[in-house]
Amino acid sequence: MKYVLLLPDGAADFSLDALDGQTPFEAADTPTFDRLATDGRQGTVVTTPPGMPCGSDICTMSLLGYDPARYHTGRAPLEAAALGLDLDDFTTVFRANWVTVADGKMVDHSAGAISSQESAALLDAVRTQIAPPGMALHLGVSYRNILQDIDHLTPGHPPRDYAELDTTAPHDILGEPIKKHRPVGSPHADLLNKLIDDAAELLAEHEINAARRELDEPEATHLWPWGQGRPPHLPAFADKYGLRGGMITAVDLLAGIARLVGFVRIDAPGQTSYHDTDYAAAGRSAVAALDDFDLVVVHVEAPDEAAHAGDPATKVAAIEAIDEHVAAPLLDALERRDEPFRVMAMPDHYTRCDTRMHDPTPPPFLIYGHRVRGVLHRPFTEANANESDLHVAHGHELMEYFLKAGLA
């Protein structure tokens, strides 16, 4: 039995005036998704547990079968795992975004999707000139970096306690004043606030930002720490479900989760977080991976970033590209194989084009394949999924349903 999980990140949305009152899924031409939903089952699933923030870290952990209330320790440790950082149980790590702040407000959570090359130059300046004592900075992809507290490795220095620290994801405060969202609630909040201020002063005169000004591109005005936590301990997916998994993703967060649950990261050339990603390469690599893995997960970040940019047209185009270049060739390959299969496709969460932020509304999902029968034979949309008879209240239970329901 083969399984495929397709994750068009943040693709779910609400009706938009720019799309004549349709959602991006309703506006998009998605013959493969529609066939899978019409001939299979669709429903909704709560991927953001009550009291937890809505983000891909929590939502993806849920969808892979891990209860975030039990296993989630923070977003940054998941991304640190993707970088291969060797963390002990007393190490706290943070995500550190390059962001654009103007007139005191968060304008862009990614500093205009700054390149990894530019990010490396900026990070080197921060690291060598203003890095706080006992802190290490690690380069990620594009605007994503990791800030690691290594102070406890110095003899006589106990681990810093960040238990009461409150930080905020920059993509959750777009258009809002940063003053009310700075780190608070811990004796060490001052350390992080000083880093924010010192970096802002340094970055204002950096040659990278000077060049971006000349090109009328968003500047990396601040380094923004958030998503802190210590390393989690997740049981291997193979031990939980008896299946060997592999994942295609361009995002360190997803790659980190994959590494922690024992998945192999599948190489697919040309993958990015944006609509310039090579969708066809992801499809080809996923088809080839069917020979080596029981479960193939394909994560595509482009719809989420389009929504964060407030760009409905690009979000629609990303959904259509996933349908054509990933879902369609995978379905064709699965139907040609001489073995049963199942496909599940779903966004991990809503990302709204109107607010440019995540939303915890339960996203739609579809399941198609061996011994799957549905009662709602309609195309794949948020509204149709809401009208189905299948609503999963605990996201971490959906994986077992996908893998095992109806097979006993």
Side-chain angles (χ1 to χ4, degrees), residues 29-377:
D29 181 18
T30 54
T32 305
F33 281 150
D34 291 345
R35 177 192 163 192
L36 296 174
T38 301
D39 295 341
R41 293 198 75 176
Q42 57 182 312
T44 67
V45 54
V46 177
T47 56
T48 305
M52 301 191 80
C54 178
S56 292
D57 50 343
I58 287 170
C59 298
T60 304
M61 189 176 285
S62 289
L63 297 180
L64 292 180
Y66 297 84
D67 183 358
R70 179 178 180 184
Y71 295 110
H72 187 268
T73 63
R75 180 173 180 134
L78 303 175
E79 302 198 21
L83 299 181
L85 299 183
D86 186 17
L87 308 180
D88 61 44
D89 289 341
F90 301 103
T91 298
T92 298
V93 290
F94 299 79
R95 251 287 287 276
N97 280 43
W98 301 120
V99 301
T100 304
V101 176
D103 298 324
K105 295 181 179 180
M106 185 69 68
V107 175
D108 193 316
H109 70 289
S110 68
I114 193 167
S115 71
S116 296
Q117 183 178 4
E118 291 170 303
S119 177
L122 294 175
L123 199 69
D124 185 62
V126 172
R127 185 188 290 125
T128 57
Q129 297 182 48
I130 61 168
M135 292 286 197
L137 284 157
H138 304 278
L139 182 67
V141 177
S142 182
Y143 60 91
R144 309 171 184 91
N145 305 291
I146 291 293
L147 175 67
Q148 178 185 3
D149 190 328
I150 57 173
D151 192 56
H152 67 287
L153 301 180
T154 301
H157 288 213
R160 290 177 175 134
D161 183 6
Y162 294 100
E164 302 301 320
L165 181 70
D166 185 19
T167 61
T168 304
H171 53 258
D172 286 342
I173 56 171
L174 295 171
E176 296 185 22
I178 67 169
K179 184 177 180 180
K180 62 181 181 180
H181 296 293
R182 293 168 70 100
V184 295
S186 164
H188 308 297
D190 289 347
L191 183 74
L192 299 175
N193 281 306
K194 187 176 187 304
L195 174 61
I196 292 173
D197 293 336
D198 289 348
E201 184 177 345
L202 175 67
L203 294 170
E205 305 301 325
H206 198 282
E207 61 183 1
I208 292 294
N209 278 328
R212 294 181 73 83
R213 279 194 295 272
E214 288 289 326
L215 296 170
D216 198 26
E217 295 177 344
E219 297 175 45
T221 64
H222 290 67
L223 184 65
W224 190 264
W226 62 284
Q228 70 278 359
R230 291 182 177 179
H233 297 282
L234 279 65
F237 190 89
D239 293 338
K240 282 174 64 72
Y241 300 110
L243 299 174
R244 184 168 185 260
M247 180 185 289
I248 293 171
T249 183
V251 177
D252 281 347
L253 170 62
L254 274 291
I257 295 175
R259 184 171 182 262
L260 289 170
V261 303
F263 282 6
V264 174
R265 188 172 185 179
I266 301 167
D267 181 49
Q271 301 307 292
T272 76
S273 298
Y274 303 95
H275 190 45
D276 63 353
T277 193
D278 191 335
Y279 296 96
R284 290 191 298 270
S285 295
V287 168
L290 293 172
D291 290 333
D292 301 319
F293 300 97
D294 304 305
L295 168 65
V296 175
V297 182
V298 186
H299 169 259
V300 183
E301 180 77 358
D304 183 70
E305 291 290 1
H308 282 310
D311 186 349
T314 298
K315 188 170 186 178
V316 169
I319 293 171
E320 291 180 338
I322 294 168
D323 185 273
E324 178 181 0
H325 298 295
V326 182
L330 269 169
L331 179 59
D332 180 67
L334 288 165
E335 290 180 330
R336 291 173 181 271
R337 299 178 70 93
D338 187 23
E339 62 182 319
F341 67 87
R342 282 185 174 179
V343 175
M344 182 161 67
M346 62 174 303
D348 51 346
H349 52 68
Y350 279 65
T351 307
R352 303 179 59 153
C353 284
D354 54 358
T355 65
R356 300 167 58 200
M357 300 182 194
H358 294 167
D359 187 288
T361 300
F365 70 87
L366 67 82
I367 299 176
Y368 172 90
H370 185 57
R371 293 189 177 178
V372 176
R373 297 291 182 270
V375 297
L376 186 75
H377 304 295

